[in-house]
Amino acid sequence: MEKEIISWIYEAAERIKTGLGEALKVDQKNGRTDLVTNVDKEVQNFLVEKIKAYDSTAKILGEENGLDQTAIDCGRVFVIDPIDGTLNFVMQQENFCIMIAVYEDGVGQLGFIYDVMRDELFWGGAKVGKVFFNKKEISAPENKHLSQGLIGMNAALYRQNLYHAQEIGNTSMGIRILGCAGLEFIAMIKGTQIGYVSVLSPWDYAAGKIMMDQLGMPSWGADKQPLTFRKREFFIGGTQATMTDIQAFHKGKH
Amino acid sequence: MEKEIISWIYEAAERIKTGLGEALKVDQKNGRTDLVTNVDKEVQNFLVEKIKAYDSTAKILGEENGLDQTAIDCGRVFVIDPIDGTLNFVMQQENFCIMIAVYEDGVGQLGFIYDVMRDELFWGGAKVGKVFFNKKEISAPENKHLSQGLIGMNAALYRQNLYHAQEIGNTSMGIRILGCAGLEFIAMIKGTQIGYVSVLSPWDYAAGKIMMDQLGMPSWGADKQPLTFRKREFFIGGTQATMTDIQAFHKGKH
């Protein structure tokens, strides 16, 4: 299965790069900074066709084109985000990812995050028992505490100091705001950031969570409850030591 | 002169990459997140030697090794930052720059910003009348308003809402926090971000300002006063339209 998915991702990336050279049609979704382009929709349709040809019984949970209500917990579900970081895609023509995840009866099997313009593919999960950076297997990053590393942050959470975001940031070595969940997951998997505090939809975290699970890095909601895969929700992920440190804020121990 | 400086930068980059493969000696300067490594100091010494061999009368203003008090306005002054984004260098082994600027009697002549790990050199200024990305001349980015683009931001300014940082961020399409002034200047020069709001030392802005001047993009302090090159100070830079929009906040027109 993984060979097919990787081939779809590379073909989707070529379509995205072609789209960058043409006039983008940009529409707003929920507000002036929540954008979708013709390329997001076309690439999602491309991925949906490939998935259906590969497994006609699979269900699909995706950001665009009305696929955002599929339940994760029954049968094989592909979770897809054709362009994660659409605002970066439109404004920067870089710093965006393609993300695909495969769940079976709610259990994560394979996750894929592809940084298109840097040509960096991170993929793996329980089905293969490993995580890869391109063709090279990677090991779990060092189990650093919150005070020992950089942490990815959502700007609105940080500004409003929701879920102790500012205390968490101040305890870390510094915050980074990249505008692309996929890049934040890549940074955690590589070990260049020790955590990520945000508000995410299922297609934002589905692929990254599978790879983090494989590497022994937890992710959960504000009260340590499992992520629901049903709505946009508070998300924390990181090294085990960082997650313990952050949980202490949420228990009011700081 | 530019050929020599570019050759120094590439040689310094090799030294930095070699340093990344060895055990870093990391020290704190002004607090636990303000770091300096043996590589910062060694690379600054290397650049100082090269500059002195090239022009024994030139003065040097630099972050490390006690060169931080040189005045900019008399004779030829090289402003150097051997590793801009030392925290990223230590934590991420990427997302840091080498920066060199040449001023003559206080007038910017040449600026160089090199993103070492991406191998992207931006350089130019009044002396050559152009700005280059590697070997290709680049033109001024589109003159976008604040509401039309992404803006780079300093985390502490944003958190504390100093200098209207949050209103500025909310008016933009979104904020980005990269932890490296050089990368923020590169984003402005490329046109992928429309501005940058921060608190910077002279070696943080000296090179970028020269290239922005050449491209017709202003930079100044909070009250539109010239940057002093004498201390860590509030900095705003961006497209002309963005700078007019931001100035309106500081005049209390919003």
Side-chain angles (χ1 to χ4, degrees):
Chain A
M1 183 192 292
E2 54 272 22
K3 280 186 185 166
E4 287 84 355
I5 294 173
I6 290 171
S7 75
W8 307 340
I9 287 172
Y10 286 135
E11 192 174 340
E14 289 308 311
R15 287 168 180 249
I16 291 172
K17 285 189 267 191
T18 302
L20 274 178
E22 298 166 356
L24 285 182
K25 187 178 176 305
V26 182
D27 290 317
Q28 294 179 7
K29 292 194 290 186
N30 303 307
R32 80 182 176 88
T33 63
D34 184 19
L35 305 181
V36 63
T37 76
N38 59 306
V39 181
D40 298 69
K41 293 175 186 173
E42 287 161 17
V43 172
Q44 176 157 318
N45 287 341
F46 165 78
L47 292 173
V48 167
E49 278 172 28
K50 289 289 184 185
I51 292 165
K52 289 193 169 168
Y54 175 79
D55 178 354
S56 62
T57 66
K59 281 169 269 184
I60 300 172
L61 172 60
E63 181 164 15
E64 316 302 344
N65 301 351
L67 293 175
D68 59 339
Q69 294 299 318
T70 307
I72 195 76
D73 46 4
C74 185
R76 180 182 283 169
V77 182
F78 286 79
V79 188
I80 60 179
D81 193 347
I83 300 179
D84 171 57
T86 300
L87 194 52
N88 287 351
F89 172 70
V90 173
M91 297 279 154
Q92 306 189 316
Q93 297 82 52
E94 61 186 347
N95 301 320
F96 58 86
C97 296
I98 301 170
M99 300 204 289
I100 299 181
V102 184
Y103 283 76
E104 289 181 355
D105 296 330
V107 180
Q109 299 295 330
L110 287 170
F112 303 80
I113 303 177
Y114 185 50
D115 179 337
V116 173
M117 302 312 281
R118 288 191 192 91
D119 186 25
E120 292 188 354
L121 176 65
F122 291 80
W123 71 278
K127 182 170 177 297
V128 292
K130 295 173 184 174
V131 176
F132 295 88
F133 172 19
N134 292 330
K135 294 188 174 173
K136 193 178 171 206
E137 186 183 346
I138 57 174
S139 49
E142 190 184 342
N143 186 23
K144 286 186 181 173
H145 277 281
L146 177 60
S147 63
Q148 296 176 294
L150 300 169
I151 190 159
M153 190 69 73
N154 169 285
L157 286 187
Y158 189 67
R159 181 177 69 246
Q160 299 169 56
N161 195 21
L162 300 175
Y163 299 98
H164 304 275
Q166 294 186 2
E167 293 96 318
I168 292 168
N170 290 346
T171 304
S172 79
M173 290 295 283
I175 69 159
R176 297 291 177 263
I177 296 181
L178 307 179
C180 172
L183 293 180
E184 303 282 8
F185 280 103
I186 286 176
M188 285 189 283
I189 291 165
K190 286 163 86 173
T192 59
Q193 293 182 190
I194 41 91
Y196 181 33
V197 176
S198 193
V199 177
L200 298 177
S201 296
W203 43 86
D204 294 322
Y205 61 73
K209 177 178 167 44
I210 289 172
M211 286 185 272
M212 291 182 66
D213 286 349
Q214 182 62 38
L215 297 170
M217 303 171 79
S219 50
W220 54 54
D223 298 317
K224 211 174 166 175
Q225 79 277 27
L227 298 159
T228 68
F229 290 84
R230 290 194 173 272
K231 59 179 194 288
R232 199 166 151 79
E233 61 194 313
F234 180 77
F235 171 97
I236 333 171
T239 66
Q240 290 193 16
T242 293
M243 293 296 277
T244 303
D245 295 337
I246 291 176
Q247 194 57 24
F249 285 105
H250 293 149
K251 286 181 180 164
K253 287 186 180 170
H254 282 262
Chain B
M1 181 191 293
E2 54 273 21
K3 280 186 187 166
E4 287 84 356
I5 295 173
I6 291 172
S7 75
W8 307 339
I9 287 172
Y10 286 135
E11 192 173 340
E14 289 308 311
R15 287 168 179 250
I16 290 172
K17 285 189 268 191
T18 302
L20 273 178
E22 298 166 358
L24 285 181
K25 186 178 176 306
V26 182
D27 290 316
Q28 295 180 6
K29 293 195 290 187
N30 303 306
R32 82 183 173 89
T33 64
D34 185 18
L35 304 182
V36 63
T37 76
N38 59 308
V39 180
D40 297 71
K41 293 174 186 172
E42 286 162 17
V43 171
Q44 176 157 317
N45 287 342
F46 164 79
L47 293 173
V48 167
E49 279 172 27
K50 288 289 183 184
I51 292 166
K52 289 192 170 167
Y54 175 80
D55 178 354
S56 62
T57 66
K59 282 168 269 185
I60 299 172
L61 172 60
E63 180 164 16
E64 316 302 344
N65 300 351
L67 294 173
D68 60 339
Q69 294 299 318
T70 307
I72 195 78
D73 47 4
C74 185
R76 181 183 283 169
V77 181
F78 285 80
V79 188
I80 60 178
D81 193 346
I83 300 180
D84 171 56
T86 300
L87 194 51
N88 287 350
F89 172 69
V90 173
M91 298 279 154
Q92 307 189 317
Q93 297 82 51
E94 60 185 348
N95 301 319
F96 58 87
C97 298
I98 300 170
M99 301 203 290
I100 299 181
V102 183
Y103 283 76
E104 289 180 355
D105 296 331
V107 180
Q109 299 296 331
L110 286 170
F112 302 80
I113 303 178
Y114 185 50
D115 178 337
V116 173
M117 302 311 282
R118 286 190 195 90
D119 186 25
E120 292 188 355
L121 176 66
F122 291 80
W123 71 278
K127 182 170 178 297
V128 292
K130 295 174 184 173
V131 176
F132 295 88
F133 171 19
N134 291 332
K135 295 188 172 175
K136 192 178 171 207
E137 185 183 346
I138 56 174
S139 49
E142 191 184 340
N143 186 23
K144 286 185 181 174
H145 277 281
L146 177 59
S147 63
Q148 296 177 294
L150 300 169
I151 189 159
M153 190 68 72
N154 169 285
L157 287 187
Y158 190 67
R159 181 176 69 244
Q160 300 170 55
N161 196 20
L162 299 175
Y163 299 99
H164 304 276
Q166 294 185 2
E167 294 96 318
I168 292 168
N170 290 345
T171 304
S172 77
M173 290 296 282
I175 70 159
R176 296 291 177 263
I177 297 181
L178 307 179
C180 171
L183 293 181
E184 303 281 8
F185 280 104
I186 287 176
M188 286 190 284
I189 291 164
K190 287 163 87 173
T192 59
Q193 293 182 190
I194 43 91
Y196 181 33
V197 177
S198 195
V199 177
L200 298 178
S201 295
W203 42 87
D204 294 321
Y205 61 72
K209 177 177 167 48
I210 290 172
M211 286 185 270
M212 290 182 67
D213 286 351
Q214 182 62 36
L215 296 171
M217 302 170 80
S219 51
W220 53 55
D223 299 317
K224 211 173 166 174
Q225 78 277 26
L227 298 159
T228 67
F229 289 83
R230 288 192 176 273
K231 59 178 194 291
R232 199 166 151 80
E233 61 194 313
F234 181 77
F235 172 97
I236 334 171
T239 66
Q240 291 193 17
T242 293
M243 293 297 278
T244 304
D245 296 338
I246 291 176
Q247 195 57 24
F249 285 107
H250 293 149
K251 286 179 180 165
K253 285 184 179 170
H254 282 262

